[in-house]
DNA sequence: AAACAGGCCTAAA
DNA sequence: TTTAGGCCTGTT
């Protein structure tokens, strides 16, 4: 049971389970949140979100209950019973999925803007996270709408219309390389309604995946990520190199993804995060020794 | 310094 | 239908 109380300008949430800001914002589903002194800060839904954790409580800074109900409750998926979904996967205690679920218990799938997710994951291909973030940041600072908060200027993610109106050279200038023409094609098709993002809500995940793959530079992986993180297709199961690795390692006979149910995407995130970041942490350990 | 990074495209069997 | 190279760029 979540309880919400105002504390000065901030909002305090207690009783929230299965939610860790660090795991949620660092698990790779989004690229625009940065930690500053334990507080995760980023722009989403055209507004600035600052959220931290202390003494088992969540604190959303500079937020009213109304704003939470209108925007962040849904964005953070705090309106969904994660205990039940988590329990379902954690029950696979004998398999990796069970261990991965325990390890990534604090992950929630954010409900990001569809266009932003699509565009971001086009940029992510054959690329590393620091550079992905750098490019997206440059894109927002150059062409997003400025919004001001506490004397600091932040930027929204530029609309498809804005990007479609740019020249290829303007995109190349952001150092996105061969992805520039992909981003541009996506923006153009979206603006022309050749790809109507509003239709996706009524499509099956599979159909939606094929639909998005009509965009030059969008394949199954990018499409699945966009669907899972930007279009509430909770059963989308993006297979990237890490997931491929974890599947090969622990499910040599194959894993039936359909049997993971309508929240397969969360299972994917558990597995991805387990394989990707557990390995990272082990390496960091080795360096210290 | 060569390989690699959270894929996809194109050409060729 | 599956498989091999190439691709922008920045880092190690």
């Amino acid at each position: 049971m979540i309880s919400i109380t105002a504390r000065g300008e901030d909002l305090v949430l207690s009783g929230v389970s299965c939610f860790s800001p660090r795991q949620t914002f660092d698990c790779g589903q989004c690229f625009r949140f940065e930690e500053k002194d334990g507080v995760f800060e980023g722009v989403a839904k055209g507004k600035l979100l600052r959220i931290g954790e202390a003494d088992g409580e969540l604190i959303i800074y500079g937020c009213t209950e109304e704003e939470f109900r209108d925007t962040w409750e849904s964005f953070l998926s705090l309106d969904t019973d994660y205990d039940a979904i988590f329990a379902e996967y954690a029950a696979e205690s004998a398999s990796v999925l069970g261990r991965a679920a325990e390890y990534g218990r604090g992950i929630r799938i954010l409900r990001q803007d569809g266009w932003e997710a699509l565009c971001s994951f086009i940029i992510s291909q054959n690329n590393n996270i620091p550079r992905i973030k750098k490019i997206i940041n440059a894109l927002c600072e150059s062409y997003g709408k400025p919004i001001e908060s506490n004397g600091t200027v932040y930027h929204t993610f530029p609309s498809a219309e804005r990007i479609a109106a740019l020249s290829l050279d303007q995109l190349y200038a952001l150092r996105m390389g061969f992805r520039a023409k992909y981003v541009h094609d996506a923006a153009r098709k979206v603006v022309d309604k050749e790809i109507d993002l509003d239709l996706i809500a009524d499509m099956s995940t599979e159909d939606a995946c094929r639909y998005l793959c009509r965009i030059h530079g969008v394949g199954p992986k990018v499409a699945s990520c966009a669907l899972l993180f930007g279009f509430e297709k909770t059963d989308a199961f993006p297979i990237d190199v890490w997931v491929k690795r974890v599947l090969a390692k622990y499910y040599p006979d194959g894993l039936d993804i359909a049997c993971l149910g309508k929240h397969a995407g969360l299972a994917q995130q558990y597995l991805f995060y387990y394989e990707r970041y557990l390995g990272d942490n082990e390496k960091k350990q080795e360096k210290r020794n």
Side-chain angles (χ1 to χ4, degrees), chain A residues 11-239:
Chain A
L11 206 62
V12 178
L13 312 183
S14 51
V16 177
S17 51
C18 290
F19 181 74
S20 146
R22 180 175 306 284
Q23 290 193 329
T24 296
F25 293 111
D26 275 350
C27 73
Q29 63 176 318
C30 60
F31 302 101
R32 296 202 66 209
F33 278 81
E34 291 297 338
E35 183 197 341
K36 283 177 192 161
D37 304 321
V39 176
F40 286 82
E41 169 179 300
V43 176
K45 304 280 174 186
K47 293 191 284 191
L48 181 70
L49 172 62
R50 299 182 67 230
I51 182 167
E53 199 175 17
D55 305 320
E57 294 175 325
L58 286 172
I59 304 156
I60 303 182
Y61 298 93
C63 179
T64 63
E65 175 162 1
E66 188 184 8
E67 193 183 0
F68 173 72
R69 293 295 186 195
D70 287 347
T71 308
W72 304 127
E73 183 176 37
S74 151
F75 177 70
L76 298 167
S77 283
L78 291 176
D79 52 5
T80 303
D81 181 10
Y82 263 61
D83 283 326
I85 313 171
F86 164 77
E88 179 191 330
Y89 296 128
E92 307 282 321
S93 53
S95 75
V96 210
L97 180 53
R99 291 204 299 281
E102 290 292 348
Y103 185 71
R105 182 172 193 156
I107 297 172
R108 286 197 183 222
I109 308 285
L110 299 170
R111 292 201 190 83
Q112 303 181 66
D113 174 72
W115 162 249
E116 174 172 347
L118 174 60
C119 192
S120 296
F121 281 94
I122 288 173
I123 291 169
S124 81
Q125 69 186 248
N126 193 222
N127 211 341
N128 54 57
I129 294 165
R131 189 157 81 108
I132 297 167
K133 288 186 168 178
K134 207 168 150 189
I135 294 168
I136 292 176
N137 195 43
L139 184 62
C140 295
E141 286 199 347
S142 304
Y143 304 111
K145 208 172 65 187
I147 54 173
E148 188 265 326
S149 179
N150 305 321
T152 309
V153 178
Y154 299 83
H155 295 268
T156 63
F157 194 91
S159 65
E161 286 76 11
R162 186 80 175 90
I163 292 180
L166 300 175
S167 68
L168 264 183
D169 281 341
Q170 286 175 298
L171 291 175
Y172 277 122
L174 304 174
R175 318 304 292 158
M176 61 175 77
F178 64 85
R179 303 160 195 82
K181 52 185 182 297
Y182 299 162
V183 167
H184 199 265
D185 184 60
R188 206 215 81 235
K189 284 192 166 89
V190 167
V191 170
D192 294 349
K193 298 278 183 188
E194 198 173 318
I195 297 292
D196 186 345
L197 298 182
D198 293 332
L199 295 181
I200 291 179
D202 293 320
M203 298 172 65
S204 72
T205 300
E206 207 179 330
D207 286 345
C209 189
R210 273 193 288 269
Y211 188 56
L212 287 181
C213 285
R214 290 192 204 165
I215 297 166
H216 196 56
V218 173
K221 193 275 180 182
V222 167
S224 304
C225 283
L227 292 172
L228 177 58
F229 303 128
F231 293 91
E232 300 182 44
K233 298 297 187 193
T234 57
D235 60 332
F237 193 94
I239 298 179

Side-chain angles (χ1 to χ4, degrees), chain A residues 26-28 103 128-130 133 242 245 249-250 271-289:
Chain A
D26 275 350
C27 73
Y103 185 71
N128 54 57
I129 294 165
K133 288 186 168 178
W242 296 98
R245 214 168 282 167
K249 213 192 274 188
Y250 301 106
L271 290 170
F272 171 80
Y273 186 74
Y274 182 76
E275 182 68 11
R276 173 77 176 79
Y277 292 95
L278 192 58
D280 251 21
N281 291 337
E282 279 166 2
K283 273 183 201 162
K284 280 179 197 162
Q285 280 290 338
E286 283 169 25
K287 272 192 181 172
R288 273 186 226 118
N289 299 339

